[in-house]
Amino acid sequence: MERKEIVEKLKTIIEPYVQDQEAFENVSEDTDLLNDLKVNSANLVDIIIDAEMAFDIEIDDESAEKMLTVKDAVGIIEELTDDRK
Amino acid sequence: MIGNDIIDRRAIRERSQEHWDRFREKTMTKAEQELLATYREDQLDIWLAWAIKESVYKLEYQLCPERYFAPRSIEVLALNRAKGKLDAYEIDLEWNKDYIHALTWLSLKSQPQKWIFQKGKTKLDTRILTQLETTFPQRNFNLIQEVFPRINVDHEVLWPLSKSHHGRWEAFVYHTA
């Protein structure tokens, strides 16, 4: 899957949990999920689960701990989907 | 050092059973799942554990201000006890049909003061100052937010403070020492 495609799919997963819509409209790969988008920590677990289901992957604890920014999340998903090839 | 967390039970989204099963696996150890097995209706077990873990996290952030996201690194040992970076924290857990609230403090300390109320037009910081000024009318208070919140009392001492909000509810807790 292309990185751009992952970013777009991830944005649709994140959107329902965003509490700062203005920040979401200006989302970039450097956007911090908790600090910038004001996603709460329980919803970060929801995002991880939604991403697992959408991309048919399993995100382990070690990877989940690193998912702080959009770039982190895309990198982890890219790596896990590449592993399937 | 204290922490607290409030969860508005009506603000929890409806999700599939598969989602909740995965949520439980990702956030609770096997021992926690067994400990809280009798609270599985409406996923209460998940949210009791989550409120405790969040309140412990907030306390641990005061001990060592670094971000981390590892829900299973904090373990609920009983409804009034948990462990994380330290072996034991005291927990006060309260829940009803509207909210779940957890308060964490260090062992050997007295239980902190807690306040829970529905959100209104008054900002949380204003409510905190009003409550403090009513309880301690002879003293002067300022709230400070440097990395984490504290109460400056008479420009002399700092009291630990923890704030929380979710959905329709807000809470704050503080220690008078």
Side-chain angles (χ1 to χ4, degrees):
Chain A
M1 189 180 282
E2 293 292 320
R3 189 175 179 88
K4 195 178 168 189
E5 201 181 336
I6 293 174
V7 172
E8 289 309 310
K9 201 166 173 179
L10 185 63
K11 278 166 69 177
T12 64
I13 290 170
I14 294 170
E15 189 171 14
Y17 307 109
V18 169
Q19 291 182 49
D20 187 332
Q21 282 302 327
E22 196 178 328
F24 184 70
E25 282 161 23
N26 299 306
V27 73
S28 73
E29 289 212 8
D30 291 325
T31 300
D32 187 293
L33 298 174
L34 277 73
N35 289 343
D36 296 330
L37 300 180
K38 311 293 182 212
V39 168
N40 73 39
S41 51
N43 288 152
L44 189 53
V45 181
D46 290 321
I47 288 170
I48 290 166
I49 294 168
D50 291 348
E52 284 185 335
M53 291 177 170
F55 294 99
D56 192 22
I57 53 175
E58 189 172 337
I59 300 170
D60 62 18
D61 284 3
E62 196 183 336
S63 297
E65 282 179 39
K66 295 174 189 159
M67 282 181 60
L68 299 176
T69 66
V70 171
K71 189 192 287 175
D72 298 333
V74 171
I76 288 161
I77 294 165
E78 202 170 30
E79 196 175 304
L80 291 167
T81 50
D82 277 353
D83 285 349
R84 283 202 310 249
K85 287 175 187 170
Chain B
M1 304 293 170
I2 51 177
N4 91 114
D5 190 58
I6 193 155
I7 295 170
D8 183 343
R9 296 187 69 182
R10 289 195 212 166
I12 297 169
R13 292 159 192 258
E14 287 195 16
R15 306 301 301 252
S16 68
Q17 190 56 48
E18 183 185 359
H19 185 93
W20 292 129
D21 290 344
R22 287 190 189 216
F23 201 109
R24 196 173 274 112
E25 289 297 322
K26 287 189 179 299
T27 60
M28 298 169 73
T29 64
K30 292 287 177 212
E32 289 175 315
Q33 290 183 41
E34 284 173 24
L35 175 74
L36 299 173
T38 54
Y39 300 102
R40 280 199 165 210
E41 192 175 344
D42 295 334
Q43 283 65 242
L44 179 59
D45 61 330
I46 289 177
W47 300 111
L48 292 176
W50 188 264
I52 291 173
K53 286 163 189 268
E54 273 290 296
S55 67
V56 170
Y57 175 84
K58 288 178 185 174
L59 183 151
E60 290 190 336
Y61 192 79
Q62 294 180 3
L63 286 172
C64 177
E66 61 175 3
R67 284 173 70 185
Y68 64 92
F69 181 73
R72 285 190 292 194
S73 69
I74 296 168
E75 188 166 16
V76 179
L77 303 172
L79 293 182
N80 63 354
R81 236 167 125 247
K83 71 174 183 179
K85 288 180 178 168
L86 299 181
D87 285 341
Y89 298 107
E90 303 291 328
I91 306 289
D92 172 80
L93 187 63
E94 174 188 344
W95 74 90
N96 55 38
K97 63 181 172 53
D98 293 314
Y99 63 76
I100 297 165
H101 181 261
L103 160 60
T104 301
W105 69 100
L106 296 173
S107 299
L108 305 178
K109 290 266 188 183
S110 58
Q111 183 165 338
Q113 303 293 314
K114 72 171 177 182
W115 296 85
I116 298 168
F117 38 82
Q118 278 195 287
K119 270 185 193 168
K121 287 181 182 168
T122 308
K123 287 187 174 176
L124 181 56
D125 285 358
T126 306
R127 283 190 195 252
I128 295 170
L129 287 170
T130 302
Q131 193 282 323
L132 288 166
E133 286 159 4
T134 305
T135 310
F136 307 98
Q138 307 301 321
R139 309 193 82 163
N140 180 274
F141 298 99
N142 285 295
L143 302 185
I144 54 175
Q145 177 75 46
E146 290 167 356
V147 187
F148 50 83
R150 282 167 291 177
I151 303 165
N152 186 328
V153 187
D154 295 333
H155 306 287
E156 286 178 355
V157 292
L158 295 173
W159 288 354
L161 170 69
S162 173
K163 303 186 270 187
S164 179
H165 64 91
H166 183 232
R168 299 162 301 142
W169 296 93
E170 290 179 318
F172 69 92
V173 301
Y174 64 91
H175 239 158
T176 55

